[in-house]
Amino acid sequence: MHRPGIRRLVASMTLLAAGAAAACSAPGSSSQSTSDSSGPVKIAVVNAQSGQLSSLGAWEYKGAKLAVDQWNAKGGVNGRKIQLDVFDDAGDPTVGTNLARKISSEGYIAMIGTAESAVTVAMAPVLQQAKIPSITSGQSPSIIAVKSPFQFLNGPTSTTYDETLAKYLVDQKGQKNIAFITNNGSYGKGEHDAFGKALAGRGVTPVDDQVVTTDQKDFSAALTSIRQKNPQVLFVGTEEVEAGLIVKQARELGITATIAGAAPMGTTVYLTTAGASNAEGTVVSSPYLSNETSDAARQFAQAYKAAYNEDAELHGAKAYDGTSIFLTALKTSNGATGQQLADAIRGTKYPGLLGTFTFDQTGVGIHATSIGVITGGKLIAAPAS
């Protein structure tokens, strides 16, 4: 897929050298905050543009670029054009850390990304030192545990996703025979712990609890154990591709349990990887169920379709919201950077596609999700109880 402007990293030593330069020229520092108020505003998008998570990076870049293109078409921010550059973290925390050093040395005032929680956590200390605000699509509670005043989330954490899921499955549907399969990455661990806590608060203990690796492809051993427990619900806490593989193999082994999970399960990548018939009935907790949830969502989806000839989805919507929030805060703060820009973001109440953003001290701006069910190959809102 052609992605204009993508910078690919192939030499770690080059990035490390850039990081050394960052120590003496952080864009958020007092010496830089007023250095150039006439050139373009530089914002970095950091996400996987290669590897298994590249679909996330593609969606995020397109959502961010759409927001920037719309602002630039109206004159930019306070008369300055916005320059959006994208970098490939390959889903690797080490690459992400080196990229944080790179963008801090090259005059970027803000960062969109990443969608990978582990990479976000790795980058956060470098960005905090450089005073570069970042808004991530990651949802692991480990992100807010970093306690960086420069780290924001453009969606809820796993705690919110999975409390909503538990309310639907246990409180509303009465389903308490639940098995887990999660991966050992930051996203999987966050989902495992958050849903486990939500169930424990309801007196429910998983009938099986299987943990797999992030790069695993064969899940037969874990799924055979789960099949023996005959659960009503199989909770899947992995990213899109892995979740699809798990569900496909689960159905092939004769597991008929309702599949349930968070945002990755509502994407086309999950659906196509699992197969439409295998994914049918999957219960999804998400702050953005479809492009038909509001007039704003329909307008966004129409513009996204016109720009990229493909349908919009959650991750693009999150990046669009996050970028719009950055640019709104930049405008209202008269081009502030560093701490002043972070303060302006935290003070921004923004009516976004995912809902009204109101940032708390942890950097979380959206505090609710809804339940959708994959029906006929589409994610639709679950019927009201």
Side-chain angles (χ1 to χ4, degrees), residues 2-77:
H2 176 62
R3 303 184 187 99
I6 293 178
R7 301 181 181 183
R8 309 303 286 263
L9 300 177
V10 295
S12 296
M13 292 301 294
T14 301
L15 293 178
L16 290 171
C24 58
S25 60
S29 64
S30 58
S31 63
Q32 289 280 324
S33 59
T34 59
S35 60
D36 184 4
S37 59
S38 59
V41 177
K42 294 177 67 175
I43 296 178
V45 175
V46 178
N47 258 301
Q49 301 295 329
S50 59
Q52 184 167 292
L53 301 177
S54 61
S55 57
L56 299 180
W59 290 328
E60 296 242 324
Y61 173 62
K62 290 171 182 175
K65 185 176 185 299
L66 182 59
V68 165
D69 287 347
Q70 290 176 346
W71 276 71
N72 277 338
K74 297 178 181 179
V77 177

Side-chain angles (χ1 to χ4, degrees), residues 7 26 33 78 81 87 120 124 167 182 184 188 199 201 205 235 239 262 278 282 294 298 303 325 327 340 355 374-375:
R7 301 181 181 183
S33 59
N78 298 332
K81 290 293 186 179
F87 301 87
T120 297
K167 285 180 180 178
T182 58
N184 60 359
L199 293 185
T205 301
F235 173 74
E239 293 83 357
N278 296 325
T282 297
S294 67
R298 282 186 282 273
I325 289 167
L327 298 177
Q340 288 183 327
I374 293 180
T375 307

Side-chain angles (χ1 to χ4, degrees), residues 265-337:
M265 318 292 281
T267 65
T268 55
V269 170
Y270 163 73
L271 185 69
T272 56
T273 305
S277 61
N278 296 325
E280 184 75 6
T282 297
V283 176
V284 182
S285 176
S286 175
Y288 188 87
L289 294 180
S290 80
N291 298 323
E292 299 295 326
T293 54
S294 67
D295 287 341
R298 282 186 282 273
Q299 291 170 10
F300 161 72
Q302 184 178 14
Y304 191 99
K305 183 80 169 182
Y308 307 117
N309 196 30
E310 63 183 62
D311 292 333
E313 50 66 68
L314 168 66
H315 296 86
K318 291 172 79 173
Y320 181 89
D321 274 350
T323 304
S324 300
I325 289 167
F326 269 142
L327 298 177
T328 299
L330 190 65
K331 180 178 180 179
T332 58
S333 66
N334 294 315
T337 60

Side-chain angles (χ1 to χ4, degrees), residues 166-178 232-233:
K167 285 180 180 178
Y168 178 79
L169 293 171
V170 180
D171 300 350
Q172 184 175 330
K173 296 295 185 180
Q175 297 174 317
K176 299 182 179 181
N177 189 343
I178 301 171
Q232 294 172 293
V233 176

